[in-house]
Amino acid sequence: MSDKKIFVVFGATGMQGGSVINSVLSDPAAAQQFRIRGITRDPSKPNAQALTAKGVECVTGDINDKASLAKALEGAHSVYAVTNYWEKMDHELEVQQGKNIADVCKEFNVQHLIWSGLVDVTALTDGKFPNVYHFDSKAHVESYIRSIDVPTSTFMPGFYMSNLETMLTPSPQPPHAYTFAMPMPPSTPIPFFDAAGDTGKFVKAMLMKRDQVLGKNVLAATDYCVASDVPKIFAEVKPEAGKGAQFVTIDKDTYKGFLTGAGMPEFAAQELYENMAFMDEFGYFAKASLDWSLSLLDEKPTTLAEFFAKAPKWKDLK
């Protein structure tokens, strides 16, 4: 046990962190090399206790407090770090949280920081879409990490397939066909990604292939799927429920109206509109190929059809 290198995983009980831990524990080679230390707010909670039962060292860590992070990261060889913009919807806070993690990694000479990041949309679009804060803040942290020379690679998750559970819904109008309504052309390529199922596949590959990925971005997605194909794939998997399933392009005000009508603040609705709108012209991953990133994997990522088949939301549909 003492020979193993410590791999610290932030958000241990969350979607991304939990997937990472499961993948490492289930891979004999990875489990033999690394001992996992999971960072969570409360190690006494049932989810954390379940990890402890699997051999994970669960410890308290507060990304707003460097002293707390110092205790959590002491002795770490590798770190997987993820922040959650949507918890407070404060991009300056998220940047500071990321910098806190980076500073402590630097202090403890961490050999590999795997940062969960995204592209800088403001820079990519030359200021056309300046309000996609949850992308830009992570990109700013990535730049900071590199500026202080922490050995790093960036894990970039694609468009969550789980988002479709609220985006692909029956139309309120008869015949109530499932509809994917978005503020984008039907030909917009979307890099779909099963965060719960596949985060660990990519991060484990990055962990085990450190020398191949240092200084690089790993684009986590199964493939690019154009927007209009989403309801078609759904109908293939669920032919009865998916009869007549359709994609509809909607305008900015209609899309934002859906969000604010559900209680979302105006600034966040604008942010999500820009998030969807920039993809067609500029590309979610700046139109980069997924080939190299996918070549790192030793497990196949989840296809959109497989996700539709297994998602609890639609499990009873035929």
Side-chain angles (χ1 to χ4, degrees):
M1 177 74 83
S2 60
D3 298 347
K4 295 184 180 181
K5 293 174 283 193
I6 296 174
F7 177 37
V8 172
V9 178
F10 282 85
T13 58
M15 184 182 294
Q16 285 192 26
S19 178
V20 171
I21 290 173
N22 287 336
S23 285
V24 173
L25 289 178
S26 63
D27 183 287
Q32 187 173 25
Q33 287 190 44
F34 292 94
R35 175 164 62 89
I36 300 175
R37 180 183 296 160
I39 309 302
T40 182
R41 288 177 183 167
D42 186 352
S44 69
K45 290 287 182 65
N47 286 348
Q49 288 292 302
L51 292 176
T52 301
K54 295 179 180 179
V56 176
E57 177 194 5
C58 286
V59 302
T60 302
D62 181 356
I63 55 179
N64 299 301
D65 178 9
K66 283 188 180 181
S68 169
L69 290 176
K71 294 179 181 178
L73 293 180
E74 185 174 4
H77 176 277
S78 299
V79 173
Y80 173 71
V82 59
T83 50
N84 182 9
Y85 166 83
W86 294 106
E87 184 176 32
K88 299 289 186 181
M89 290 191 283
D90 181 340
H91 62 282
E92 292 182 355
L93 175 64
E94 184 174 36
V95 170
Q96 187 58 57
Q97 291 171 338
K99 286 182 175 181
N100 289 345
I101 294 170
D103 288 343
V104 178
C105 284
K106 177 76 172 180
E107 178 184 349
F108 284 98
N109 196 33
V110 167
Q111 295 302 295
H112 189 191
L113 170 56
I114 302 173
W115 171 247
S116 182
L118 290 165
V119 301
D120 186 332
V121 176
T122 299
L124 174 66
T125 67
D126 197 23
K128 183 174 181 179
F129 296 105
N131 300 301
V132 190
Y133 303 117
H134 67 290
F135 275 59
D136 290 0
S137 56
K138 295 176 180 65
H140 295 165
V141 173
E142 180 189 345
S143 296
Y144 178 78
I145 293 168
R146 299 192 191 283
S147 76
I148 63 172
D149 295 323
V150 173
T152 188
S153 56
T154 302
F155 162 79
M156 290 190 160
F159 191 97
Y160 281 19
M161 293 179 185
S162 57
N163 289 339
L164 294 172
E165 295 186 27
T166 56
M167 293 177 171
L168 180 63
T169 57
S171 168
Q173 306 298 325
H176 309 296
Y178 273 83
T179 302
F180 185 37
M182 298 285 279
M184 60 178 62
S187 59
T188 301
I190 304 173
F192 280 106
F193 173 61
D194 179 10
D198 293 351
T199 297
K201 296 175 185 177
F202 283 92
V203 173
K204 183 191 70 178
M206 296 169 74
L207 180 71
M208 300 297 285
K209 298 176 180 179
R210 173 183 180 274
D211 292 345
Q212 293 183 46
V213 302
L214 275 181
K216 297 179 181 178
N217 295 337
V218 174
L219 312 181
T222 302
D223 56 18
Y224 287 104
C225 173
V226 298
S228 59
D229 279 348
V230 171
K232 293 177 184 176
I233 295 170
F234 180 76
E236 290 171 0
V237 177
K238 305 288 185 179
E240 290 183 20
K243 186 176 181 180
Q246 60 184 337
F247 174 81
V248 177
T249 297
I250 55 176
D251 62 29
K252 172 182 177 180
D253 290 340
T254 300
Y255 179 75
K256 288 179 63 178
F258 288 152
L259 300 177
T260 55
M264 183 172 286
E266 163 65 26
F267 79 89
Q270 177 67 26
E271 174 171 3
L272 285 182
Y273 162 72
E274 292 187 17
N275 186 172
M276 304 308 160
F278 93 87
M279 282 194 272
D280 181 59
E281 184 177 354
F282 299 96
Y284 184 102
F285 288 136
K287 301 186 177 180
S289 169
L290 303 176
D291 291 350
W292 177 76
S293 299
L294 289 168
S295 76
L296 298 169
L297 302 183
D298 58 12
E299 302 172 84
K300 289 185 177 181
T302 306
T303 66
L304 191 54
E306 289 168 342
F307 176 80
F308 284 142
K310 73 175 184 177
K313 172 88 172 184
W314 299 299
K315 67 181 178 64
D316 295 326
L317 299 182
K318 300 188 182 303

